[in-house]
Amino acid sequence: MTKVAVNLWPRWLRALLVGAATAAIIGGSWLTYRHFAKPIYLTVAAGSADGEALALTSAISARLAASKSHIRLRVNDSSTSAKAAELLAAGKADLAIVRGDTGGLADARSVMLLTHGVVLIMAPATVSADSLGDLRDTTIGVIGGAINRQMVDALKQVYQFDRAKVRFQDVAIADGAAALSSGQVHVLLAVVPLTEKYLTKMRQLFQNAAAKAAVPKLIEIEAAGAIPNVAPYYESYDIPKGTLRGAPPVPSDDLTSLRVSLFLVANKSVDADTITDLAQALVDVRRDLLSQYPILAQAGAPSTDPDALIPIHPGAATYYGGNQQSFLDKYDDKLYYGSLLLGSLISIIIAAWRFAGSDAEAQSMLEPLYELRHEIKNAKTEPELDETEKKIDDILKAELTKNARGDGADGSEMGAVSLAAQRLHHLMSHRRARLRKS
């Protein structure tokens, strides 16, 4: 397509083409922005016997949505930690809240350490034993049942409960007080975070028992140091003095027990950059929700040791290690190529503006007139000259029509067109005379 042919197009057609091209560029840019700016949704499986894990996860999800975070959570109620681990392993969840002693975590990578569950073995003050090894002919009620089976199995491997006639029986938390009152169990075992909310629940189990004035005592796990040798997901822990009650203090001194960690984990296949952004968002949310959920005071970075119980996710390691890339480092290549693309688009827009504009219209009148000079010189017959003369008349008529609309050439440009037309008519008369003579 020659420049002359393009300039003969109607102005409205050129404007329409430029508008369509501009709309396509703007639409493509908007779709690209939406693609990179839209939130990333991760499914998190959470569940616990008391429902606290689900409530906490839902609060975090709501806060991320309210703050317009780039990372959003879809919460899946899994009822238990074991079920959450199953959903993660099956690829039905990207994240899960699990206890460290939950099985099936081969593909799990830690993102955040949420809290620790501490083993509390509580008994009425009338029980004479002060340590787990001193218990005889006793039934221990295990609150939580299946979730604490790993804990019970670890204790059985270290203590000779068969000789001491110590038995274990699963007890629902709602039935704990009744089981104590009826004598079905003599001691209660629970694994809970050491927060006031959970400690209050433990005290109420004894306040609702038959002996209303009974003050519970804590039984020491004196062999806690040997438990990690048979079950590495547990660690020895000293319960601080006065944890259960302040005056008189219960326990009366630091008491040896066990604890297990509670993690937010991700499937190892989840993108590292996504987990880096998630870890940063969780730290921000933790500050906002701390007053509402005091348990978040215990949240922090998981272990980065290569031999950690649950290896840390590479994306989380990047954030906690302070190796998070800046915006320029992360998008350096994209910004470079984007600037080249932007420059190209600007050049295209300028060319399109010139294509659709009227600044070339005067030139578009002179050029076709100049091209007709060759047709006149090469004409072999008078009908060819007549056809050329018609073209000249059509060009002049089109320019007069534009002037009538107010968008034609100015006076000086029209003068140049008039001189060009006179020159062509002179050449045409000369050529016609020669044809008639020959």
Side-chain angles (χ1 to χ4, degrees), residues 172-189:
I173 188 171
D175 301 331
L180 281 172
S181 300
S182 63
Q184 293 180 11
V185 299
H186 311 99
V187 178
L188 291 178
L189 182 152

Side-chain angles (χ1 to χ4, degrees), residues 42-46 53-55 57-62 73-78:
L42 299 174
T43 301
V44 53
L54 181 63
T57 309
S58 298
I60 293 175
S61 175
L73 298 180
R74 292 190 179 99
V75 183
N76 186 340
D77 183 5
S78 61

Side-chain angles (χ1 to χ4, degrees), residues 45 117 171 190 223 251 253 300 323 356 391 403 437:
V171 176
D253 201 354
N323 299 320
K391 291 180 180 180
N403 280 331
K437 182 178 180 181

Side-chain angles (χ1 to χ4, degrees), residues 89-100:
K92 297 180 180 179
D94 305 300
L95 309 168
I97 293 182
V98 297
R99 262 175 45 167

Side-chain angles (χ1 to χ4, degrees), residues 147-313:
I147 189 65
N148 291 321
R149 192 157 295 138
Q150 295 269 35
M151 172 68 69
V152 172
D153 291 342
L155 293 174
K156 287 180 178 180
Q157 292 186 57
V158 175
Y159 289 93
Q160 297 179 348
F161 288 129
D162 291 338
R163 291 185 181 182
K165 297 182 180 180
V166 175
R167 301 163 297 276
F168 292 88
Q169 178 179 326
D170 292 346
V171 176
I173 188 171
D175 301 331
L180 281 172
S181 300
S182 63
Q184 293 180 11
V185 299
H186 311 99
V187 178
L188 291 178
L189 182 152
V191 181
V192 296
L194 294 185
T195 62
E196 187 58 32
K197 180 177 182 177
Y198 283 97
L199 293 174
T200 299
K201 290 181 179 180
M202 296 300 103
R203 299 187 198 105
Q204 290 174 349
L205 292 175
F206 289 86
Q207 293 172 358
N208 296 334
K212 292 185 179 180
V215 177
K217 64 184 295 184
L218 292 178
I219 303 296
E220 183 177 26
I221 306 176
E222 72 277 15
I227 300 295
N229 295 329
V230 297
Y233 23 80
Y234 302 117
E235 60 179 337
S236 179
Y237 176 73
D238 290 336
I239 300 175
K241 174 183 176 180
T243 294
L244 199 59
R245 194 175 75 167
V250 178
S252 58
D253 201 354
D254 291 354
L255 190 79
T256 303
S257 185
L258 292 168
R259 72 178 184 180
V260 61
S261 300
L262 190 72
F263 296 94
L264 172 66
V265 298
N267 192 293
K268 64 182 182 181
S269 63
V270 180
D271 179 67
D273 289 339
T274 299
I275 295 300
T276 300
D277 294 342
L278 172 64
Q280 181 176 6
L282 290 176
V283 171
D284 296 338
V285 167
R286 174 182 174 273
R287 292 193 295 264
D288 298 335
L289 297 179
L290 192 57
S291 59
Q292 185 179 356
Y293 293 91
I295 194 173
L296 290 175
Q298 303 176 17
S303 174
T304 57
D305 293 340
D307 58 347
L309 175 63
I310 302 178
I312 190 170
H313 196 285

